């Protein structure tokens, strides 16, 4: 018999169909069925009447623990922001990183994010936290060459992390190799990373052309931009997740396309820091898999992916309102994000991971003949009432089930106080 | 004795101070006190522990009943959008307008908006609805010359509306004269409107340079843009509320400044329709009173003013992250909006109108050393738990007190169905 059935809701499969008054059946952490209600029975039945039932949202680029750096450098352009943040980051302890990770995951679970791709430091703390919270994550231990330790030592520790944690937590954790960017690592280092990733069949998570400064630096150093450079050393491929991708030429877009690179678009962070507008409609138009992410809370403010969806919608419609339908933005946050992380999620289909959220549609802003458009325009994290990952209910009717909210918030405040002192 | 006390919250007076664990006292529809807790007593005490207590938000430009046109024309540029919407609007009946007004006010009360400036048709329906819901509004019966009736008849009906409703509903309703724009009314008509407004000591609500098309049309017709034109006929002044103000030259900004014109910025609608980016930091820098508004739900998606604040923040930080602090955006939504509507609100100060909201800060995205920045970046309508207008509680602990939500949503759905048929 099925473990759980979600009944009565409007099912957005993200696979081309919306089923009114449908049913989603979950068995053994996977979706067993999503379609018309045919009277299935189950151990547990959830009532989704008046709600949308959809795949959990995927945040395809973040630095989770930066939640404890929130508000320290607001209203600064990228160059000054990064200096200020890095000086605060230097004071982060493993316990601060841990507190930031829990705070971030509390926010994500409450706002309907079920998976995320993270790149930061002290990643074992984050991995342990993911294991405990029940979320799904693709974790990369960030590498800036020359920072804190020598290249050999750094590669060994990242390799150890990647191998130790891949597949852990019932498969909810996957690992990636995460060289910070083409500008912050040498060619030799990047080639070694590429070889490790190939040997381990791991994906690679890297920042690409977030700033004009990086473009200029790469041209000066190598006579070509980051995309060309990474291509020249064979680091671009279907296993690459390139975050930001703002300062691209048309040729760069073609290179990304040819290599089936995944791109994560972070509109809130990009606009907030004055970094620029990524050519997302152009990339989508060429068939590139563009996902959505928040980046860190220190530049994005919140980890609410609905805010991210809305910002993407407005930003690209500024130039051409026809260039980005609401349905496309919702795909970026689900289908495309899953593809970027290499996970069988982002759709409600038999055999897919049971990462599901329930959104309360009984609110004035959702009264519309176009449900998808109403969601993208009008939903916020606090409209999500239930969050399920791997068939496990992490939040039900707005109550998180496994996390001690008071403790998490208290620990985060303590961490922020330590940083301030 | 005081009618009501709100105790225990973090008071954002918007008058330069934040008072932790403070008290706001309300008496006879006005704020009696806002400051440190000194043990005041009252008939009614509200607990705002862990919450922010702040002035209600002011939506300084909307077309409220367009909520029933939501989702009909998403993803179209302004020119095509307006054609599609106008053909649907022609099918709106007074009962549809009424249903749209109630739906819009339900959304506003639930998201912390206490006052709004509206411009539409069948305004008596809207005025009656405002009277019943308890909200505060500045209502203008829109005028497009030559549409439906002749100029004399139109001016008479708008004059009747303005005089009949001004000051009604315990003073919660004020009226304005609302010529649609300098392009949709003749010079003679606009001069007559100006004279009526002057005689009645009414404010004027008008769209100004929302599109490049209007700029070109005005140059062709009059040899000058709308700002110059309106100035030449004496329609600009401290009682003028100019919505959008996108296609301005530097000289236009100077004219607006000299005449103390109020401007309403509608970033979500402007970006969603590809209309353009209003020069808000430049206007604020010259001391122009720039408020915030959603425009209609058919172009803005939702009437959530937190979304509007966030969109303004990101849009202008794209060019220069230093140009628009989070605190400035919060002022736009409160202090500046009140000034634009000509009401003594937008701040928590003795003698000011008791339009107050309580926002639940016990959420992960608000954990930050910078409370104002965290609010602007991370708040959504559903974080507002209590909404008070004129000292009357319209929503308490997320429950609206005076509105039948089910009926309002049902009526709105019926209206949408009628339009679809």
């Amino acid at each position: 018999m099925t473990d759980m059935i979600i009944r009565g809701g409007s099912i957005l499969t993200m696979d081309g169909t919306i089923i009114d008054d449908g049913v989603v059946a979950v068995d053994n952490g996977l979706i067993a069925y999503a379609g018309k209600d045919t009277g299935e029975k189950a151990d547990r039945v959830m009532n989704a009447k008046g709600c949308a039932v959809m795949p959990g949202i995927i945040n395809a680029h973040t630095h989770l623990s930066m939640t404890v750096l929130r508000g320290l450098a607001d209203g600064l352009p990228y160059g000054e922001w990064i200096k200020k943040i890095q000086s605060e980051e230097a004071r982060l302890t493993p316990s601060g990183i841990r507190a930031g990770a829990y705070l971030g995951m509390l926010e994500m679970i409450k706002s309907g994010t079920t998976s995320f791709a993270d790149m930061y430091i002290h990643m074992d703390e984050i991995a342990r936290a993911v294991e405990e919270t029940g979320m799904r994550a693709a974790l990369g231990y960030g590498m800036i060459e020359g920072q804190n330790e020598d290249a050999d030592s750094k590669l060994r520790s990242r390799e150890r992390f990647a191998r130790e944690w891949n597949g852990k937590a019932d498969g909810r954790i996957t690992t990636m190799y995460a060289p910070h960017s083409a500008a912050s690592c040498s060619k030799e280092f990047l080639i070694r990373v590429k070889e490790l990733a190939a040997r381990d069949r791991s994906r690679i998570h890297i920042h690409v052309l977030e700033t004009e400064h990086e473009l200029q630096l790469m041209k000066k150093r190598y006579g070509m931009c980051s995309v060309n450079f990474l291509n020249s050393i064979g680091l671009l491929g279907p296993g690459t997740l390139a975050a930001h991708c703002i300062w691209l030429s048309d040729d760069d877009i073609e290179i990304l396309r040819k290599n089936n690179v995944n791109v994560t678009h972070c509109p809130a962070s990009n606009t907030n820091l004055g970094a620029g507008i990524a050519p997302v409609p152009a990339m989508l138009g060429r068939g590139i898999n563009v996902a959505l992410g928040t980046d860190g809370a220190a530049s994005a403010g919140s980890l609410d992916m609905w805010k991210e969806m809305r910002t993407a919608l407005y930003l690209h419609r500024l130039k051409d309102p026809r260039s980005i339908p609401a349905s496309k933005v919702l795909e970026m946050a689900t289908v495309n994000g899953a593809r970027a992380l290499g996970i069988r999620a982002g759709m409600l289909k038999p055999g897919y991971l049971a990462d599901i959220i329930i959104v309360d549609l009984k609110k004035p802003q959702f009264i519309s003949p176009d449900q998808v458009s109403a969601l993208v325009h009008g939903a916020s994290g606090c409209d999500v009432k239930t969050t399920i990952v791997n068939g496990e209910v992490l939040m039900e009717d707005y109550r998180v089930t496994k996390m001690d909210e008071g403790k998490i918030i208290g620990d985060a405040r303590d961490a922020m106080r330590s940083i301030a002192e």
Side-chain angles (χ1 to χ4, degrees), chain A:
Chain A
M1 197 203 271
T2 310
D3 291 337
M4 170 166 62
I5 264 166
I6 303 167
R7 159 168 282 137
S10 174
I11 319 289
L12 275 69
T13 63
M14 296 311 297
D15 189 27
T17 52
I18 295 179
I19 303 140
D20 289 323
D21 201 28
V23 146
V24 177
V26 173
D27 206 41
N28 211 21
L30 298 179
I31 291 168
Y33 172 81
K36 277 260 149 254
D37 196 338
T38 55
E40 295 84 3
K41 299 204 182 299
D43 295 325
R44 180 176 188 171
V45 179
M46 272 196 185
N47 181 4
K49 194 167 192 298
C51 300
V53 183
M54 54 177 277
I57 295 163
I58 291 132
N59 184 342
H61 177 72
T62 187
H63 310 289
L64 192 61
S65 296
M66 286 181 99
T67 49
V68 290
L69 303 176
R70 193 185 337 249
L72 290 176
D74 193 43
L76 294 175
Y78 184 91
E80 290 176 46
W81 176 86
I82 194 80
K83 277 190 210 117
K84 184 138 204 254
I85 284 296
Q86 278 174 346
S87 75
E88 308 285 354
E89 252 177 4
R91 307 224 291 273
L92 270 176
T93 60
S95 95
I97 298 257
R98 181 167 60 243
Y102 276 102
L103 186 69
M105 279 188 275
L106 177 63
E107 190 182 346
M108 287 196 286
I109 289 168
K110 284 167 85 85
S111 54
T113 295
T114 49
S115 298
F116 62 99
D118 198 46
M119 179 203 298
Y120 212 46
I121 49 175
H122 296 295
M123 288 303 286
D124 295 89
E125 295 290 347
I126 292 152
R128 279 188 283 270
V130 172
E131 190 167 39
E132 196 198 308
T133 61
M135 285 197 74
R136 189 180 309 281
L139 305 176
Y141 203 143
M143 294 177 264
I144 293 175
E145 190 177 358
Q147 202 186 56
N148 295 336
E149 51 191 322
D150 64 73
D152 285 341
S153 161
K154 184 162 286 181
L155 286 165
R156 268 198 311 273
S157 85
R158 279 33 173 185
E159 181 188 14
R160 189 274 314 154
F161 171 82
R163 296 182 136 195
E164 186 176 315
W165 282 102
N166 194 45
K168 289 290 189 303
D170 297 322
R172 286 184 285 107
I173 293 175
T174 51
T175 54
M176 305 170 82
Y177 282 89
H180 181 267
S181 74
S184 57
C185 303
S186 70
K187 183 174 180 176
E188 295 64 41
F189 189 89
L190 287 165
I191 289 170
R192 290 175 71 182
V193 170
K194 179 195 77 168
E195 289 166 352
L196 283 171
R199 183 204 61 190
D200 292 355
R201 287 202 289 271
S202 282
R203 300 169 89 91
I204 292 174
H205 190 172
I206 184 168
H207 295 97
V208 174
L209 291 169
E210 180 178 2
T211 60
E212 196 175 12
H213 176 253
E214 176 184 328
L215 176 63
Q216 288 160 349
L217 189 151
M218 292 297 286
K219 284 196 158 163
K220 199 165 157 190
R221 191 185 291 173
Y222 295 108
M224 63 182 98
C225 81
S226 316
V227 172
N228 278 273
F229 172 76
L230 291 168
N231 193 31
S232 74
I233 60 169
L235 209 122
L236 297 183
T240 304
L241 179 54
H244 302 301
C245 291
I246 296 174
W247 293 87
L248 307 179
S249 69
D250 252 3
D251 290 343
D252 297 334
I253 294 176
E254 181 53 22
I255 291 170
L256 294 176
R257 184 201 69 75
K258 273 213 317 239
N259 288 280
N260 288 304
V261 173
N262 302 279
V263 171
T264 301
H265 178 46
C266 305
S269 176
N270 293 167
T271 48
N272 195 42
L273 294 177
I277 306 181
V280 167
M283 289 192 277
L284 288 169
R286 303 262 202 104
I288 293 171
N289 185 51
V290 184
L292 218 49
T294 56
D295 209 359
S299 56
S302 83
L303 302 180
D304 185 337
M305 283 288 288
W306 300 98
K307 169 258 297 178
E308 220 58 51
M309 284 189 242
R310 209 161 12 259
T311 307
L313 194 79
Y314 294 156
L315 197 58
H316 302 292
R317 284 184 174 187
L318 185 58
K319 292 183 180 168
D320 179 2
R322 267 177 288 233
S323 68
I324 191 155
S327 56
K328 180 60 68 179
V329 168
L330 199 58
E331 270 177 45
M332 287 169 72
T334 50
V335 183
N336 297 8
R339 196 166 138 200
L341 267 62
I343 56 176
R344 209 164 143 83
M347 288 193 206
L348 300 184
K349 281 177 78 147
Y352 273 56
L353 295 164
D355 294 357
I356 305 163
I357 59 173
I358 302 177
V359 184
D360 186 353
L361 295 179
K362 301 182 297 297
K363 302 194 176 193
Q365 68 269 29
F366 297 134
I367 310 307
S368 166
D370 184 340
Q371 192 176 272
V372 168
S373 160
L375 270 169
V376 175
H377 276 284
S380 308
C382 36
D383 296 316
V384 180
K385 56 188 287 201
T386 293
T387 300
I388 297 162
V389 177
N390 222 36
E392 184 181 23
V393 183
L394 303 187
M395 176 174 72
E396 185 166 8
D397 290 338
Y398 303 105
R399 273 184 319 270
V400 289
T401 57
K402 293 175 56 138
M403 298 174 93
D404 182 338
E405 284 197 60
K407 181 184 191 307
I408 288 168
I409 285 175
D411 288 348
R413 287 199 210 276
D414 290 342
M416 286 182 184
R417 256 188 297 267
S418 304
I419 292 164
E421 284 150 16

